[in-house]
Amino acid sequence: LDAPVTSTGVQSKGNAIADDKGFFKQWAPEAEDAGLEVSYEGQPDVEAILVQNPDLVVMSSSGQDSATSVYDQLADVVPVIVVDYSNKQWSEVLEELGTAIGHEKQADEAIASYHDRISAVTKSITAPAQPVNIVSLGQGGNTLNVWTKESAQGSLFHDLGWDIAVPDAQYGGGNPQFDGRSDVVSVAAENFGPALTGKTIFALNADGKDSPTEFLKTQEQLKDNPAISTDSVHDLQPYAFRIDYYSAMKVLDDVEALFKN
């Protein structure tokens, strides 16, 4: 958005998704170039935010980075925008923020560059066998989260013209935390087999510690799975767990490298 961002809170540092300052790796180089500072790590720190003398504070209402607990304290001093990214695509969040700061043109240009890249990648690859499943590992390996077309990941692959395979409702309910959501179906281990019907699987492990593809290949109930039996399973990098403009572009780079003509 070409916004004069001066500082950010971070959740953790030096892991699969963040660099040693806590910047997400997909946009860390841009943050460094912009001289971005870290205000706090973990719980929001009102004093650390206000010492930056901000003209505007942007916070999330959901997720580990939610800062609504300090909204009242900040809103008494400085304008605050609260964004709920849990029910929006990254492009919608970008448009919302662009409008709020008067940078609608920059938002439109960024979204247009994404669609230009979608078009270029579509023309440069041979699409994998359809339909595709997009899954992430649940905690402990007892569940799989299968992403639908409404998810950020599913939306990106749908933009490429791919068909997103979704489990029948009877195989959901693996993790009650996800009940009622349209972007993900949580599947318990005993239903891995009938739930994964894609001829190609893209698998994600958000902590980046273990290969999700190797995990799927060790599951007895998936030994006859069409994607696994044809070696059509591909790891997604940890940055694909949270899709923003930067991670969307990196995922498109990865797809192009995998399936380039």
Side-chain angles (χ1 to χ4, degrees):
L1 286 177
D2 193 29
V5 184
T6 58
S7 69
T8 181
V10 299
Q11 286 300 306
S12 57
K13 301 176 179 179
N15 52 41
I17 62 173
D19 70 4
D20 290 341
K21 288 187 177 180
F23 300 154
F24 282 141
K25 291 181 178 178
Q26 64 262 31
W27 47 259
E30 285 79 4
E32 293 286 357
D33 289 345
L36 192 66
E37 297 181 15
V38 174
S39 290
Y40 62 85
E41 180 179 358
Q43 294 301 310
D45 185 324
V46 173
E47 290 185 3
I49 295 170
L50 292 180
V51 77
Q52 297 283 338
N53 194 29
D55 297 310
L56 176 71
V57 173
V58 180
M59 65 171 61
S60 169
S61 64
S62 59
Q64 289 187 339
D65 55 341
S66 173
T68 53
S69 61
V70 298
Y71 173 85
D72 290 338
Q73 298 173 68
L74 290 170
D76 285 342
V77 182
V78 61
V80 179
I81 295 176
V82 180
V83 176
D84 182 1
Y85 63 75
S86 68
N87 60 2
K88 298 181 179 71
Q89 298 295 335
W90 65 265
S91 56
E92 294 175 296
V93 174
L94 200 65
E95 289 175 327
E96 181 178 338
L97 293 174
T99 299
I101 66 173
H103 284 214
E104 295 94 340
K105 179 182 177 182
Q106 289 89 335
D108 290 344
E109 288 174 346
I111 294 167
S113 71
Y114 162 78
H115 286 291
D116 287 345
R117 185 69 179 124
I118 284 282
S119 179
V121 171
T122 302
K123 293 174 183 176
S124 70
I125 66 172
T126 299
Q130 303 290 309
V132 304
N133 279 125
I134 312 162
V135 305
S136 61
L137 305 189
Q139 290 186 345
N142 297 317
T143 59
L144 285 176
N145 300 320
V146 185
W147 301 98
T148 73
K149 188 175 71 174
E150 283 70 41
S151 69
Q153 297 82 2
S155 177
L156 188 155
F157 286 166
H158 180 70
D159 285 346
L160 287 167
W162 298 359
D163 182 17
I164 312 302
V166 180
D168 289 338
Q170 62 182 311
Y171 302 122
N175 184 342
Q177 169 186 349
F178 297 103
D179 289 352
R181 287 178 52 170
S182 63
D183 60 333
V184 63
V185 178
S186 180
V187 177
E190 62 268 20
N191 291 323
F192 286 178
L196 298 188
T197 58
K199 293 182 179 179
T200 306
I201 295 176
F202 293 88
L204 168 67
N205 186 3
D207 66 17
K209 293 179 180 178
D210 300 302
S211 165
T213 291
E214 293 307 312
F215 170 82
L216 293 176
K217 288 179 177 180
T218 64
Q219 302 304 299
E220 180 65 22
Q221 61 271 47
L222 291 175
K223 65 180 182 180
D224 297 321
N225 177 274
I228 291 176
S229 62
T230 58
D231 201 27
S232 300
V233 188
H234 308 279
D235 281 353
L236 289 173
Q237 296 303 310
Y239 48 71
F241 182 73
R242 181 170 291 173
I243 298 292
D244 54 32
Y245 171 81
Y246 296 103
S247 54
M249 298 297 259
K250 289 180 74 66
V251 170
L252 290 174
D253 289 345
D254 296 341
V255 166
E256 186 174 51
L258 278 171
F259 303 111
K260 194 168 182 65
N261 292 329

